[in-house]
Amino acid sequence: MSSVTRRLFLAGTAAGLGALPAFSLTGVAPAFAQQSAARRGGVLRISVDQAASVIHPLRTRVNPEYLVAELLYSGLTRLAAGMKVEPDLALSWTPDQTLTEWTFVLRPGLTFHDGSPCTAADVVATFTAILDPKTASPGRTNVGPIKEVTAKDERTVLFRLTSPYADLPVALAYTNARIVPAKVIETDLDSLSRSAVGTGPFKLVSFEPDRKIVVERNPAYYDPARPYLDRVEVLVYPDRTAEASALISGDIDLMLGTAPGEYQRLEKASGVKALRVPSGQFLNVNMGCDQKPFSDPRVRKALALSVDREAMVGFVAGGYGTPGNDTPISPAYRFHREQPLRKADLAQAKKLLAEAGYPNGVDLTMIASDKPGTRTELAVAIREMAKPAGFRIQVQTMPHATYLDQVWKKGNFYVGFYNMQATADAVFSLLYTSDAAWNETRWNNKDFDALVAEARTKTDETERAALYTKAQQLMHDEVPSVIPVFFDLLAARRDYVEGYDLHPRGSVFRLDFVSLGAAAPKRG
């Protein structure tokens, strides 16, 4: 398989992301179309490769869970194509001159699935819950520097921030920022782990997380034309080959994602459209910077210098990706800093290990979840690449549920997997600042924190670019995690599925815009 060159990656990114325009500070929802050419009706079957175990919208963690939450719930804003922010429940938003107060106006007549009205009070209660550490929502540190949220009237919400923040409308499109009823928050917030009361385009019919989740059209959705589908069935296929075979045979209509080997097979299949988009999705090797041996940056840099990144793209991404340079900001992001790719240098790696007190090498155990399978592939590749430098790595693969329970955010040396975020600030704040929701490396670098915090306050693109350049350079120098590869997103659909495009964010699906053509199978 031929690899995707950096030039092609950049060209594809520019075409797919509309040259990454700056986000607008104000927003107004467009008028609904009077009619649509999309066909109404039908049942869409979509496959995922792991269980959607968590349907609580404030606590979802992985793509199948984000998918189900997006079907059932809405946020104030959402991400459209090209990483642009657009209105969802909000009709409009405006900031004050200091960017520390933002006013959002809701659409009129919003209702939850149980028929109760959705008002500003529900928005206030939702964000109060998200910001409460007891809720354990990943959104707590990813929805912006919110000081307080208040309701000015039934449709108007005021966000007061602790500091200026130009990206607030984008941050509020975060996957966990779904609006839920205030009465549920007040009485039994945990009930949303078993049931769903949202304002989304679909309503929950049944929930079997390891097998099948069924939703049906919400007739009271705020856009009367959407969704076009009558029903969506989310089916779990742990085996990638069986999943691809199900798409080829027509048992399913859309695959949420697929691996390079199956993608090649799907490209050749009759009646199937293979989908691909450049992204900022990546695997990394998280190192506990607060524990030996990784508390010494020389050990971290030695591991980074052991990796052949061009080879890693072929081995782990199957050629469908681009090399990483130990920061999470791929060329698909605004404010990406172009710099020479770090090359493998085994002699320098051995020298750094010796200087750090390991002249005879070091023994380590690297943990990899079995989902996705590329985690183990990356771990094995690094084990072999780093061996000549003196790293003796034992790779331990474990079931994903066990990994989430025992290793994630707790381990000292393991493989992580992450979707592209909407902004540079979002990915830094999710993973690498000292107060990050998923502070897996525990790098806790105050200089880095200060750069990210200052960039949030700037509206001038040149100033922001300079700050993010320094932040990326600091990460590249200190290597809190090794990021050797970014993935193109791969998926596939039957050719009668209309209106579906892969989103570079990786956790945005927009199935309310999907319809089925005349050739689609008729299902009860």
Side-chain angles (χ1 to χ4, degrees), residues 169-393:
V170 189
L172 297 187
Y174 190 70
T175 48
N176 296 106
R178 311 291 184 184
I179 307 304
V180 299
K183 64 181 180 182
V184 173
I185 295 172
E186 294 164 1
T187 57
D188 187 6
L189 180 58
D190 288 340
S191 68
L192 296 179
S193 299
R194 306 178 298 275
S195 59
V197 188
T199 57
F202 295 90
K203 302 169 66 174
L204 185 64
V205 174
S206 62
F207 174 54
E208 300 174 73
D210 295 318
R211 192 181 76 86
K212 183 179 182 180
I213 299 171
V214 180
V215 301
E216 64 183 7
R217 179 194 287 128
N218 173 17
Y221 190 52
Y222 64 73
D223 182 351
R226 294 183 285 117
Y228 305 124
L229 300 165
D230 288 333
R231 186 148 81 163
V232 176
E233 298 176 356
V234 181
L235 305 174
V236 180
Y237 279 83
D239 183 270
R240 288 284 199 186
T241 301
E243 184 182 16
S245 296
L247 183 73
I248 292 170
S249 68
D251 289 340
I252 59 175
D253 310 308
L254 175 63
M255 291 177 67
L256 194 66
T258 191
E262 296 302 328
Y263 182 83
Q264 290 180 301
R265 177 186 172 202
L266 292 164
E267 278 186 306
K268 302 171 184 176
S270 176
V272 172
K273 173 68 174 177
L275 307 173
R276 177 183 180 186
V277 66
S279 179
Q281 186 185 80
F282 67 93
L283 286 170
N284 73 351
V285 178
N286 286 307
M287 297 170 283
C289 298
D290 59 344
Q291 301 177 41
K292 291 184 177 181
F294 301 117
S295 53
D296 191 323
R298 291 172 295 189
V299 176
R300 306 195 301 265
K301 190 168 183 179
L303 184 63
L305 287 169
S306 303
V307 179
D308 183 334
R309 292 149 200 274
E310 297 282 2
M312 194 68 80
V313 172
F315 183 74
V316 178
Y320 297 100
T322 193
N325 217 9
D326 300 327
T327 88
I329 309 302
S330 79
Y333 280 93
R334 288 167 65 224
F335 305 119
H336 165 72
R337 177 184 183 272
E338 190 70 33
Q339 61 181 327
L341 183 67
R342 177 173 272 147
K343 300 292 185 180
D345 187 338
L346 296 176
Q348 179 65 12
K350 292 181 71 173
K351 182 175 182 290
L352 287 170
L353 265 188
E355 290 175 356
Y358 303 96
N360 299 317
V362 60
D363 295 286
L364 299 165
T365 298
M366 184 188 299
I367 307 297
S369 162
D370 64 351
K371 297 292 183 183
T374 47
R375 293 202 206 215
T376 299
E377 293 173 1
L378 180 78
V380 170
I382 286 184
R383 179 189 69 191
E384 297 305 312
M385 290 179 181
K387 191 180 298 182
F391 288 94
R392 295 180 293 273
I393 299 172

Side-chain angles (χ1 to χ4, degrees), residues 53-123:
S53 301
V54 176
I55 61 168
H56 194 305
L58 308 188
R59 297 173 179 158
T60 50
R61 308 158 299 174
V62 293
N63 281 353
E65 296 169 358
Y66 298 146
L67 167 67
V68 174
E70 185 182 292
L71 293 171
L72 299 171
Y73 296 89
S74 302
L76 290 179
T77 60
R78 66 191 300 190
L79 289 181
M83 304 297 286
K84 296 179 181 179
V85 67
E86 68 178 13
D88 199 2
L89 295 181
L91 186 68
S92 64
W93 59 83
T94 52
D96 70 353
Q97 290 186 343
T98 68
L99 299 180
T100 60
E101 291 191 1
W102 290 76
T103 301
F104 286 75
V105 178
L106 300 180
R107 299 177 188 271
L110 295 172
T111 59
F112 288 105
H113 294 163
D114 63 0
S116 62
C118 174
T119 70
D122 301 295
V123 176

Side-chain angles (χ1 to χ4, degrees), residues 392-412:
R392 295 180 293 273
I393 299 172
Q394 178 184 351
V395 174
Q396 180 183 345
T397 300
M398 62 177 55
H400 190 64
T402 305
Y403 159 83
L404 289 175
D405 182 56
Q406 299 180 7
V407 178
W408 183 50
K409 297 192 292 184
K410 306 179 185 75
N412 190 40

